[in-house]
Amino acid sequence: MTVVAAVDLIAGPGVGFLPLVSLGPAFASLVGGWRRTALVGAVALLLCTGLGLYDGLFEERRGFTAMASVAGVTGIGITAALTRARREAELASVRSIAEVAQRVLLRPVLRTAGPLQAAVSYTSAVAEARIGGDLYEVVASPHGIRVIVGDVQGKGLAAVETAAVVLGAFREAAHDEPDLVGLGERLERSVARELEGEKFVTAVLAEIGTDHGAVFLNYGHPAPMVVRRGGVDFPEPHAFALPLGLGGHGGDGPKPYRVDFAPGEQLLLYTDGVTETRDAEGVFYPLGERVEFLDEADADRALSALREDLIRHAGGPLHDDAAMLLLRYHGHGEGKSVPLV
């Protein structure tokens, strides 16, 4: 408005810059509340009146037209500011509800469970969301430490709903089923009841006992990564099985397979949003070559460094959800299990 006033004084009344004073309340309504818009509108009217008197525009219609223009834009701006404030309040309420739902779905996992230390990382492909179609959970059951990491086909709220079904079934069955195959069958039945058509969930189940080993059950999911002193290993099943939800299409279910997992070693379970992330040249993220980030003494910082490297490789936001669950075998330590936030 200052610039318009200066130009109007220099150019004189013949140019007709005065109606542009209404830009003040117009922009104020975009960035401020209705009170700020009304205040700027009042200042604009005073400025318009002063310039109109100085230019002698009230002797003709031009002065009154400029005043009407400023008053009209101010009124519309106040209405727009009120509408925007109401929508922002509604959005804040929805976000708060969504955050509660996200905490219920992906609740904190155990920081320590028996001899294991856990750390998690989740990056949603949906802007400003903390969860998506990927899922993870760690349960200290009477049959051992049981873990799941999975990836629901698709994105958005439908994928979140399916993830909730899988996690709910896993949390209940992990305590009841004496073996991993029975646990997998419970999940298959639960998912089959909920999913329709060709929808599915890839998942890997793990059970870590006291015999320095981990037993896996793989439903079409990327192989876990085991980090040992001698290098990195990606143990795969002897035969690949269909994802959860496709068991009714025939084929044998997954067969459990055992992998050595001893004190001092690390186990990383992840979703394909990690390994299928590409850089600008289309090269997939080389997870096995980034194992040096897991040398960090603190498990949380190690996984954070790996996540930051993944984002650097992508050169920006990820295009798919990416979940990582790191388990470190520290030996038979004592202490109460603590939630990992």
mmCIF file of all heavy atoms in Angstrom, residues 222-275:
data_model
loop_
_atom_site.group_PDB
_atom_site.id
_atom_site.type_symbol
_atom_site.label_atom_id
_atom_site.label_comp_id
_atom_site.label_asym_id
_atom_site.label_seq_id
_atom_site.Cartn_x
_atom_site.Cartn_y
_atom_site.Cartn_z
ATOM 1 N N PRO A 222 11.092 -59.409 1.331
ATOM 2 C CA PRO A 222 12.552 -59.371 1.183
ATOM 3 C C PRO A 222 13.256 -60.087 2.322
ATOM 4 O O PRO A 222 12.835 -60.018 3.480
ATOM 5 C CB PRO A 222 12.862 -57.867 1.195
ATOM 6 C CG PRO A 222 11.608 -57.223 0.709
ATOM 7 C CD PRO A 222 10.491 -58.065 1.216
ATOM 8 N N ALA A 223 14.334 -60.769 1.992
ATOM 9 C CA ALA A 223 15.074 -61.546 2.988
ATOM 10 C C ALA A 223 15.684 -60.642 4.042
ATOM 11 O O ALA A 223 16.151 -59.542 3.728
ATOM 12 C CB ALA A 223 16.175 -62.359 2.305
ATOM 13 N N PRO A 224 15.674 -61.054 5.304
ATOM 14 C CA PRO A 224 16.309 -60.244 6.349
ATOM 15 C C PRO A 224 17.824 -60.181 6.150
ATOM 16 O O PRO A 224 18.400 -60.989 5.424
ATOM 17 C CB PRO A 224 15.948 -60.987 7.639
ATOM 18 C CG PRO A 224 15.687 -62.390 7.201
ATOM 19 C CD PRO A 224 15.103 -62.303 5.835
ATOM 20 N N MET A 225 18.434 -59.201 6.786
ATOM 21 C CA MET A 225 19.895 -59.048 6.702
ATOM 22 C C MET A 225 20.506 -59.358 8.059
ATOM 23 O O MET A 225 20.130 -58.758 9.067
ATOM 24 C CB MET A 225 20.265 -57.623 6.273
ATOM 25 C CG MET A 225 21.769 -57.416 6.112
ATOM 26 S SD MET A 225 22.220 -55.767 5.459
ATOM 27 C CE MET A 225 21.958 -54.755 6.922
ATOM 28 N N VAL A 226 21.435 -60.306 8.077
ATOM 29 C CA VAL A 226 22.152 -60.671 9.292
ATOM 30 C C VAL A 226 23.570 -60.127 9.187
ATOM 31 O O VAL A 226 24.275 -60.410 8.217
ATOM 32 C CB VAL A 226 22.171 -62.202 9.492
ATOM 33 C CG1 VAL A 226 22.893 -62.557 10.789
ATOM 34 C CG2 VAL A 226 20.757 -62.769 9.501
ATOM 35 N N VAL A 227 23.959 -59.335 10.164
ATOM 36 C CA VAL A 227 25.285 -58.716 10.182
ATOM 37 C C VAL A 227 26.147 -59.459 11.185
ATOM 38 O O VAL A 227 25.855 -59.482 12.382
ATOM 39 C CB VAL A 227 25.200 -57.225 10.551
ATOM 40 C CG1 VAL A 227 26.581 -56.584 10.499
ATOM 41 C CG2 VAL A 227 24.240 -56.498 9.618
ATOM 42 N N ARG A 228 27.208 -60.076 10.666
ATOM 43 C CA ARG A 228 28.152 -60.811 11.507
ATOM 44 C C ARG A 228 29.539 -60.218 11.363
ATOM 45 O O ARG A 228 29.784 -59.370 10.512
ATOM 46 C CB ARG A 228 28.178 -62.288 11.109
ATOM 47 C CG ARG A 228 26.824 -62.997 11.203
ATOM 48 C CD ARG A 228 26.998 -64.483 10.967
ATOM 49 N NE ARG A 228 25.741 -65.213 11.169
ATOM 50 C CZ ARG A 228 24.892 -65.523 10.208
ATOM 51 N NH1 ARG A 228 25.162 -65.146 8.947
ATOM 52 N NH2 ARG A 228 23.781 -66.183 10.467
ATOM 53 N N ARG A 229 30.433 -60.690 12.197
ATOM 54 C CA ARG A 229 31.811 -60.196 12.114
ATOM 55 C C ARG A 229 32.432 -60.529 10.763
ATOM 56 O O ARG A 229 33.263 -59.795 10.251
ATOM 57 C CB ARG A 229 32.651 -60.801 13.241
ATOM 58 C CG ARG A 229 32.251 -60.311 14.625
ATOM 59 C CD ARG A 229 33.169 -60.892 15.695
ATOM 60 N NE ARG A 229 32.803 -60.409 17.024
ATOM 61 C CZ ARG A 229 31.920 -60.988 17.808
ATOM 62 N NH1 ARG A 229 31.265 -62.073 17.391
ATOM 63 N NH2 ARG A 229 31.659 -60.502 19.014
ATOM 64 N N GLY A 230 32.013 -61.629 10.187
ATOM 65 C CA GLY A 230 32.590 -62.041 8.915
ATOM 66 C C GLY A 230 31.946 -61.413 7.693
ATOM 67 O O GLY A 230 32.390 -61.657 6.564
ATOM 68 N N GLY A 231 30.902 -60.615 7.884
ATOM 69 C CA GLY A 231 30.253 -59.984 6.742
ATOM 70 C C GLY A 231 28.750 -59.938 6.897
ATOM 71 O O GLY A 231 28.208 -60.017 8.006
ATOM 72 N N VAL A 232 28.075 -59.840 5.762
ATOM 73 C CA VAL A 232 26.623 -59.684 5.733
ATOM 74 C C VAL A 232 26.009 -60.868 5.010
ATOM 75 O O VAL A 232 26.542 -61.351 4.000
ATOM 76 C CB VAL A 232 26.237 -58.364 5.027
ATOM 77 C CG1 VAL A 232 24.727 -58.208 4.959
ATOM 78 C CG2 VAL A 232 26.857 -57.179 5.751
ATOM 79 N N ASP A 233 24.872 -61.315 5.502
ATOM 80 C CA ASP A 233 24.183 -62.453 4.891
ATOM 81 C C ASP A 233 22.704 -62.106 4.745
ATOM 82 O O ASP A 233 22.121 -61.452 5.617
ATOM 83 C CB ASP A 233 24.358 -63.701 5.759
ATOM 84 C CG ASP A 233 23.780 -64.937 5.088
ATOM 85 O OD1 ASP A 233 23.640 -64.935 3.847
ATOM 86 O OD2 ASP A 233 23.451 -65.907 5.794
ATOM 87 N N PHE A 234 22.107 -62.523 3.628
ATOM 88 C CA PHE A 234 20.678 -62.346 3.385
ATOM 89 C C PHE A 234 20.050 -63.739 3.242
ATOM 90 O O PHE A 234 19.859 -64.231 2.128
ATOM 91 C CB PHE A 234 20.426 -61.527 2.118
ATOM 92 C CG PHE A 234 20.818 -60.087 2.231
ATOM 93 C CD1 PHE A 234 22.120 -59.681 1.967
ATOM 94 C CD2 PHE A 234 19.889 -59.128 2.608
ATOM 95 C CE1 PHE A 234 22.488 -58.350 2.062
ATOM 96 C CE2 PHE A 234 20.245 -57.792 2.708
ATOM 97 C CZ PHE A 234 21.559 -57.400 2.442
ATOM 98 N N PRO A 235 19.762 -64.420 4.350
ATOM 99 C CA PRO A 235 19.236 -65.787 4.281
ATOM 100 C C PRO A 235 17.843 -65.824 3.661
ATOM 101 O O PRO A 235 16.934 -65.123 4.109
ATOM 102 C CB PRO A 235 19.208 -66.234 5.743
ATOM 103 C CG PRO A 235 19.140 -64.958 6.525
ATOM 104 C CD PRO A 235 19.886 -63.947 5.735
ATOM 105 N N GLU A 236 17.693 -66.623 2.632
ATOM 106 C CA GLU A 236 16.414 -66.758 1.946
ATOM 107 C C GLU A 236 15.816 -68.131 2.217
ATOM 108 O O GLU A 236 16.531 -69.091 2.524
ATOM 109 C CB GLU A 236 16.605 -66.568 0.436
ATOM 110 C CG GLU A 236 17.043 -65.174 0.043
ATOM 111 C CD GLU A 236 17.097 -64.999 -1.462
ATOM 112 O OE1 GLU A 236 17.048 -66.021 -2.171
ATOM 113 O OE2 GLU A 236 17.175 -63.843 -1.923
ATOM 114 N N PRO A 237 14.489 -68.251 2.107
ATOM 115 C CA PRO A 237 13.844 -69.554 2.330
ATOM 116 C C PRO A 237 14.200 -70.533 1.221
ATOM 117 O O PRO A 237 14.605 -70.150 0.121
ATOM 118 C CB PRO A 237 12.355 -69.210 2.330
ATOM 119 C CG PRO A 237 12.259 -67.961 1.515
ATOM 120 C CD PRO A 237 13.516 -67.198 1.785
ATOM 121 N N HIS A 238 14.043 -71.806 1.511
ATOM 122 C CA HIS A 238 14.323 -72.833 0.507
ATOM 123 C C HIS A 238 13.341 -72.754 -0.660
ATOM 124 O O HIS A 238 13.693 -73.069 -1.803
ATOM 125 C CB HIS A 238 14.262 -74.221 1.162
ATOM 126 C CG HIS A 238 15.220 -74.384 2.311
ATOM 127 N ND1 HIS A 238 16.587 -74.344 2.144
ATOM 128 C CD2 HIS A 238 14.995 -74.558 3.631
ATOM 129 C CE1 HIS A 238 17.180 -74.511 3.323
ATOM 130 N NE2 HIS A 238 16.227 -74.637 4.243
ATOM 131 N N ALA A 239 12.120 -72.343 -0.372
ATOM 132 C CA ALA A 239 11.110 -72.169 -1.419
ATOM 133 C C ALA A 239 10.259 -70.961 -1.059
ATOM 134 O O ALA A 239 9.881 -70.784 0.099
ATOM 135 C CB ALA A 239 10.234 -73.421 -1.544
ATOM 136 N N PHE A 240 9.987 -70.128 -2.054
ATOM 137 C CA PHE A 240 9.221 -68.910 -1.799
ATOM 138 C C PHE A 240 7.729 -69.233 -1.735
ATOM 139 O O PHE A 240 7.226 -70.064 -2.501
ATOM 140 C CB PHE A 240 9.500 -67.869 -2.879
ATOM 141 C CG PHE A 240 10.872 -67.296 -2.795
ATOM 142 C CD1 PHE A 240 11.926 -67.861 -3.494
ATOM 143 C CD2 PHE A 240 11.123 -66.190 -1.994
ATOM 144 C CE1 PHE A 240 13.193 -67.326 -3.423
ATOM 145 C CE2 PHE A 240 12.387 -65.653 -1.910
ATOM 146 C CZ PHE A 240 13.428 -66.217 -2.619
ATOM 147 N N ALA A 241 7.030 -68.546 -0.823
ATOM 148 C CA ALA A 241 5.596 -68.760 -0.624
ATOM 149 C C ALA A 241 4.829 -67.505 -1.024
ATOM 150 O O ALA A 241 5.395 -66.419 -1.143
ATOM 151 C CB ALA A 241 5.315 -69.104 0.839
ATOM 152 N N LEU A 242 3.533 -67.680 -1.227
ATOM 153 C CA LEU A 242 2.674 -66.551 -1.580
ATOM 154 C C LEU A 242 2.509 -65.620 -0.385
ATOM 155 O O LEU A 242 2.578 -66.044 0.762
ATOM 156 C CB LEU A 242 1.311 -67.052 -2.030
ATOM 157 C CG LEU A 242 1.257 -67.829 -3.349
ATOM 158 C CD1 LEU A 242 -0.140 -68.383 -3.577
ATOM 159 C CD2 LEU A 242 1.675 -66.943 -4.513
ATOM 160 N N PRO A 243 2.277 -64.341 -0.637
ATOM 161 C CA PRO A 243 2.031 -63.405 0.465
ATOM 162 C C PRO A 243 0.748 -63.749 1.213
ATOM 163 O O PRO A 243 -0.100 -64.511 0.732
ATOM 164 C CB PRO A 243 1.916 -62.049 -0.244
ATOM 165 C CG PRO A 243 2.608 -62.229 -1.557
ATOM 166 C CD PRO A 243 2.372 -63.654 -1.941
ATOM 167 N N LEU A 244 0.589 -63.156 2.381
ATOM 168 C CA LEU A 244 -0.630 -63.321 3.159
ATOM 169 C C LEU A 244 -1.814 -62.776 2.362
ATOM 170 O O LEU A 244 -1.730 -61.714 1.735
ATOM 171 C CB LEU A 244 -0.517 -62.570 4.484
ATOM 172 C CG LEU A 244 0.508 -63.098 5.484
ATOM 173 C CD1 LEU A 244 0.704 -62.095 6.622
ATOM 174 C CD2 LEU A 244 0.075 -64.446 6.040
ATOM 175 N N GLY A 245 -2.904 -63.503 2.380
ATOM 176 C CA GLY A 245 -4.091 -63.102 1.642
ATOM 177 C C GLY A 245 -4.251 -63.812 0.320
ATOM 178 O O GLY A 245 -5.318 -63.765 -0.282
ATOM 179 N N LEU A 246 -3.195 -64.481 -0.155
ATOM 180 C CA LEU A 246 -3.257 -65.208 -1.421
ATOM 181 C C LEU A 246 -3.177 -66.717 -1.226
ATOM 182 O O LEU A 246 -3.005 -67.457 -2.181
ATOM 183 C CB LEU A 246 -2.120 -64.755 -2.351
ATOM 184 C CG LEU A 246 -2.111 -63.282 -2.752
ATOM 185 C CD1 LEU A 246 -0.956 -63.005 -3.700
ATOM 186 C CD2 LEU A 246 -3.438 -62.876 -3.391
ATOM 187 N N GLY A 247 -3.301 -67.150 0.023
ATOM 188 C CA GLY A 247 -3.217 -68.581 0.293
ATOM 189 C C GLY A 247 -4.313 -69.380 -0.377
ATOM 190 O O GLY A 247 -4.129 -70.555 -0.700
ATOM 191 N N GLY A 248 -5.470 -68.751 -0.616
ATOM 192 C CA GLY A 248 -6.562 -69.454 -1.261
ATOM 193 C C GLY A 248 -6.331 -69.719 -2.732
ATOM 194 O O GLY A 248 -7.107 -70.441 -3.368
ATOM 195 N N HIS A 249 -5.271 -69.155 -3.311
ATOM 196 C CA HIS A 249 -4.964 -69.375 -4.726
ATOM 197 C C HIS A 249 -4.166 -70.653 -4.956
ATOM 198 O O HIS A 249 -3.734 -70.929 -6.070
ATOM 199 C CB HIS A 249 -4.197 -68.176 -5.288
ATOM 200 C CG HIS A 249 -5.018 -66.924 -5.335
ATOM 201 N ND1 HIS A 249 -5.686 -66.503 -6.461
ATOM 202 C CD2 HIS A 249 -5.306 -66.006 -4.387
ATOM 203 C CE1 HIS A 249 -6.335 -65.375 -6.207
ATOM 204 N NE2 HIS A 249 -6.109 -65.046 -4.947
ATOM 205 N N GLY A 250 -3.944 -71.412 -3.915
ATOM 206 C CA GLY A 250 -3.203 -72.655 -4.050
ATOM 207 C C GLY A 250 -1.738 -72.469 -3.718
ATOM 208 O O GLY A 250 -1.261 -71.366 -3.477
ATOM 209 N N GLY A 251 -1.028 -73.579 -3.717
ATOM 210 C CA GLY A 251 0.387 -73.515 -3.387
ATOM 211 C C GLY A 251 0.619 -73.830 -1.922
ATOM 212 O O GLY A 251 -0.255 -73.644 -1.065
ATOM 213 N N ASP A 252 1.799 -74.311 -1.627
ATOM 214 C CA ASP A 252 2.156 -74.651 -0.256
ATOM 215 C C ASP A 252 2.462 -73.388 0.538
ATOM 216 O O ASP A 252 2.915 -72.381 -0.004
ATOM 217 C CB ASP A 252 3.376 -75.577 -0.236
ATOM 218 C CG ASP A 252 3.093 -76.904 -0.923
ATOM 219 O OD1 ASP A 252 1.917 -77.336 -0.877
ATOM 220 O OD2 ASP A 252 4.026 -77.503 -1.487
ATOM 221 N N GLY A 253 2.216 -73.466 1.818
ATOM 222 C CA GLY A 253 2.559 -72.358 2.688
ATOM 223 C C GLY A 253 4.064 -72.303 2.909
ATOM 224 O O GLY A 253 4.810 -73.206 2.515
ATOM 225 N N PRO A 254 4.531 -71.250 3.515
ATOM 226 C CA PRO A 254 5.968 -71.114 3.744
ATOM 227 C C PRO A 254 6.490 -72.145 4.740
ATOM 228 O O PRO A 254 5.767 -72.569 5.639
ATOM 229 C CB PRO A 254 6.100 -69.692 4.296
ATOM 230 C CG PRO A 254 4.780 -69.413 4.929
ATOM 231 C CD PRO A 254 3.766 -70.121 4.084
ATOM 232 N N LYS A 255 7.729 -72.542 4.546
ATOM 233 C CA LYS A 255 8.383 -73.480 5.446
ATOM 234 C C LYS A 255 9.353 -72.715 6.345
ATOM 235 O O LYS A 255 10.104 -71.868 5.865
ATOM 236 C CB LYS A 255 9.145 -74.549 4.661
ATOM 237 C CG LYS A 255 8.291 -75.315 3.651
ATOM 238 C CD LYS A 255 7.186 -76.102 4.335
ATOM 239 C CE LYS A 255 6.365 -76.895 3.306
ATOM 240 N NZ LYS A 255 5.230 -77.605 3.951
ATOM 241 N N PRO A 256 9.345 -73.001 7.640
ATOM 242 C CA PRO A 256 10.278 -72.298 8.522
ATOM 243 C C PRO A 256 11.722 -72.723 8.235
ATOM 244 O O PRO A 256 11.985 -73.859 7.868
ATOM 245 C CB PRO A 256 9.833 -72.741 9.924
ATOM 246 C CG PRO A 256 9.122 -74.035 9.717
ATOM 247 C CD PRO A 256 8.492 -73.955 8.363
ATOM 248 N N TYR A 257 12.626 -71.766 8.390
ATOM 249 C CA TYR A 257 14.048 -72.082 8.228
ATOM 250 C C TYR A 257 14.838 -71.349 9.301
ATOM 251 O O TYR A 257 14.501 -70.239 9.701
ATOM 252 C CB TYR A 257 14.545 -71.725 6.826
ATOM 253 C CG TYR A 257 14.449 -70.270 6.439
ATOM 254 C CD1 TYR A 257 15.568 -69.443 6.439
ATOM 255 C CD2 TYR A 257 13.225 -69.717 6.037
ATOM 256 C CE1 TYR A 257 15.486 -68.100 6.069
ATOM 257 C CE2 TYR A 257 13.134 -68.394 5.666
ATOM 258 C CZ TYR A 257 14.261 -67.589 5.682
ATOM 259 O OH TYR A 257 14.175 -66.263 5.315
ATOM 260 N N ARG A 258 15.890 -72.016 9.746
ATOM 261 C CA ARG A 258 16.659 -71.506 10.880
ATOM 262 C C ARG A 258 17.956 -70.867 10.400
ATOM 263 O O ARG A 258 18.598 -71.338 9.459
ATOM 264 C CB ARG A 258 16.972 -72.636 11.860
ATOM 265 C CG ARG A 258 17.659 -72.193 13.139
ATOM 266 C CD ARG A 258 18.003 -73.391 14.011
ATOM 267 N NE ARG A 258 18.588 -72.986 15.273
ATOM 268 C CZ ARG A 258 19.862 -72.626 15.440
ATOM 269 N NH1 ARG A 258 20.688 -72.634 14.400
ATOM 270 N NH2 ARG A 258 20.317 -72.268 16.629
ATOM 271 N N VAL A 259 18.353 -69.783 11.086
ATOM 272 C CA VAL A 259 19.596 -69.066 10.797
ATOM 273 C C VAL A 259 20.313 -68.826 12.115
ATOM 274 O O VAL A 259 19.672 -68.464 13.116
ATOM 275 C CB VAL A 259 19.314 -67.721 10.090
ATOM 276 C CG1 VAL A 259 20.605 -66.936 9.889
ATOM 277 C CG2 VAL A 259 18.628 -67.951 8.761
ATOM 278 N N ASP A 260 21.618 -69.024 12.137
ATOM 279 C CA ASP A 260 22.389 -68.744 13.341
ATOM 280 C C ASP A 260 22.324 -67.260 13.672
ATOM 281 O O ASP A 260 22.490 -66.398 12.807
ATOM 282 C CB ASP A 260 23.854 -69.161 13.155
ATOM 283 C CG ASP A 260 24.009 -70.683 13.052
ATOM 284 O OD1 ASP A 260 23.119 -71.381 13.575
ATOM 285 O OD2 ASP A 260 25.000 -71.146 12.463
ATOM 286 N N PHE A 261 22.079 -66.967 14.930
ATOM 287 C CA PHE A 261 22.017 -65.584 15.400
ATOM 288 C C PHE A 261 22.521 -65.573 16.834
ATOM 289 O O PHE A 261 21.821 -65.949 17.767
ATOM 290 C CB PHE A 261 20.577 -65.065 15.317
ATOM 291 C CG PHE A 261 20.432 -63.615 15.667
ATOM 292 C CD1 PHE A 261 21.326 -62.657 15.195
ATOM 293 C CD2 PHE A 261 19.383 -63.188 16.481
ATOM 294 C CE1 PHE A 261 21.184 -61.316 15.521
ATOM 295 C CE2 PHE A 261 19.231 -61.852 16.797
ATOM 296 C CZ PHE A 261 20.146 -60.918 16.321
ATOM 297 N N ALA A 262 23.765 -65.164 16.998
ATOM 298 C CA ALA A 262 24.470 -65.297 18.266
ATOM 299 C C ALA A 262 24.792 -63.924 18.855
ATOM 300 O O ALA A 262 24.665 -62.899 18.170
ATOM 301 C CB ALA A 262 25.760 -66.103 18.065
ATOM 302 N N PRO A 263 25.202 -63.870 20.100
ATOM 303 C CA PRO A 263 25.591 -62.593 20.717
ATOM 304 C C PRO A 263 26.643 -61.862 19.888
ATOM 305 O O PRO A 263 27.566 -62.464 19.346
ATOM 306 C CB PRO A 263 26.148 -63.016 22.079
ATOM 307 C CG PRO A 263 25.420 -64.284 22.397
ATOM 308 C CD PRO A 263 25.237 -64.981 21.081
ATOM 309 N N GLY A 264 26.469 -60.542 19.794
ATOM 310 C CA GLY A 264 27.374 -59.723 18.999
ATOM 311 C C GLY A 264 26.914 -59.519 17.576
ATOM 312 O O GLY A 264 27.514 -58.718 16.841
ATOM 313 N N GLU A 265 25.863 -60.226 17.150
ATOM 314 C CA GLU A 265 25.376 -60.111 15.777
ATOM 315 C C GLU A 265 24.114 -59.245 15.734
ATOM 316 O O GLU A 265 23.476 -58.995 16.759
ATOM 317 C CB GLU A 265 25.105 -61.501 15.202
ATOM 318 C CG GLU A 265 26.350 -62.362 15.131
ATOM 319 C CD GLU A 265 26.089 -63.759 14.601
ATOM 320 O OE1 GLU A 265 24.901 -64.160 14.541
ATOM 321 O OE2 GLU A 265 27.059 -64.449 14.254
ATOM 322 N N GLN A 266 23.787 -58.798 14.528
ATOM 323 C CA GLN A 266 22.636 -57.924 14.336
ATOM 324 C C GLN A 266 21.727 -58.490 13.248
ATOM 325 O O GLN A 266 22.199 -59.109 12.292
ATOM 326 C CB GLN A 266 23.087 -56.509 13.925
ATOM 327 C CG GLN A 266 24.020 -55.843 14.902
ATOM 328 C CD GLN A 266 24.385 -54.436 14.474
ATOM 329 O OE1 GLN A 266 23.580 -53.505 14.599
ATOM 330 N NE2 GLN A 266 25.596 -54.250 13.977
ATOM 331 N N LEU A 267 20.441 -58.234 13.417
ATOM 332 C CA LEU A 267 19.439 -58.693 12.460
ATOM 333 C C LEU A 267 18.593 -57.484 12.050
ATOM 334 O O LEU A 267 18.017 -56.811 12.899
ATOM 335 C CB LEU A 267 18.554 -59.767 13.090
ATOM 336 C CG LEU A 267 17.339 -60.241 12.282
ATOM 337 C CD1 LEU A 267 17.779 -60.885 10.985
ATOM 338 C CD2 LEU A 267 16.497 -61.214 13.108
ATOM 339 N N LEU A 268 18.547 -57.211 10.743
ATOM 340 C CA LEU A 268 17.771 -56.088 10.216
ATOM 341 C C LEU A 268 16.639 -56.626 9.358
ATOM 342 O O LEU A 268 16.874 -57.266 8.336
ATOM 343 C CB LEU A 268 18.650 -55.148 9.395
ATOM 344 C CG LEU A 268 17.935 -53.915 8.822
ATOM 345 C CD1 LEU A 268 17.514 -52.974 9.950
ATOM 346 C CD2 LEU A 268 18.829 -53.185 7.816
ATOM 347 N N LEU A 269 15.418 -56.358 9.786
ATOM 348 C CA LEU A 269 14.228 -56.667 8.997
ATOM 349 C C LEU A 269 13.726 -55.359 8.400
ATOM 350 O O LEU A 269 13.697 -54.329 9.073
ATOM 351 C CB LEU A 269 13.139 -57.297 9.874
ATOM 352 C CG LEU A 269 13.552 -58.547 10.653
ATOM 353 C CD1 LEU A 269 12.412 -58.999 11.559
ATOM 354 C CD2 LEU A 269 13.951 -59.661 9.724
ATOM 355 N N TYR A 270 13.288 -55.393 7.144
ATOM 356 C CA TYR A 270 12.956 -54.166 6.432
ATOM 357 C C TYR A 270 11.897 -54.462 5.373
ATOM 358 O O TYR A 270 11.599 -55.630 5.075
ATOM 359 C CB TYR A 270 14.211 -53.583 5.764
ATOM 360 C CG TYR A 270 14.924 -54.582 4.878
ATOM 361 C CD1 TYR A 270 14.621 -54.679 3.523
ATOM 362 C CD2 TYR A 270 15.870 -55.465 5.398
ATOM 363 C CE1 TYR A 270 15.242 -55.605 2.710
ATOM 364 C CE2 TYR A 270 16.493 -56.408 4.597
ATOM 365 C CZ TYR A 270 16.179 -56.469 3.266
ATOM 366 O OH TYR A 270 16.783 -57.410 2.453
ATOM 367 N N THR A 271 11.352 -53.407 4.793
ATOM 368 C CA THR A 271 10.383 -53.551 3.707
ATOM 369 C C THR A 271 11.035 -53.166 2.386
ATOM 370 O O THR A 271 12.133 -52.594 2.355
ATOM 371 C CB THR A 271 9.140 -52.680 3.958
ATOM 372 O OG1 THR A 271 9.545 -51.312 4.077
ATOM 373 C CG2 THR A 271 8.435 -53.106 5.239
ATOM 374 N N ASP A 272 10.359 -53.453 1.285
ATOM 375 C CA ASP A 272 10.966 -53.200 -0.023
ATOM 376 C C ASP A 272 11.077 -51.716 -0.343
ATOM 377 O O ASP A 272 11.732 -51.342 -1.317
ATOM 378 C CB ASP A 272 10.196 -53.928 -1.132
ATOM 379 C CG ASP A 272 8.734 -53.492 -1.220
ATOM 380 O OD1 ASP A 272 8.347 -52.518 -0.525
ATOM 381 O OD2 ASP A 272 7.974 -54.114 -1.983
ATOM 382 N N GLY A 273 10.445 -50.869 0.473
ATOM 383 C CA GLY A 273 10.659 -49.439 0.300
ATOM 384 C C GLY A 273 12.099 -49.031 0.552
ATOM 385 O O GLY A 273 12.521 -47.964 0.103
ATOM 386 N N VAL A 274 12.859 -49.875 1.231
ATOM 387 C CA VAL A 274 14.286 -49.614 1.477
ATOM 388 C C VAL A 274 15.108 -50.039 0.272
ATOM 389 O O VAL A 274 15.833 -49.244 -0.337
ATOM 390 C CB VAL A 274 14.766 -50.333 2.753
ATOM 391 C CG1 VAL A 274 16.266 -50.134 2.940
ATOM 392 C CG2 VAL A 274 14.002 -49.833 3.969
ATOM 393 N N THR A 275 15.010 -51.299 -0.094
ATOM 394 C CA THR A 275 15.874 -51.832 -1.145
ATOM 395 C C THR A 275 15.453 -51.410 -2.547
ATOM 396 O O THR A 275 16.259 -51.490 -3.478
ATOM 397 C CB THR A 275 15.894 -53.369 -1.065
ATOM 398 O OG1 THR A 275 14.540 -53.863 -1.038
ATOM 399 C CG2 THR A 275 16.622 -53.829 0.188
#
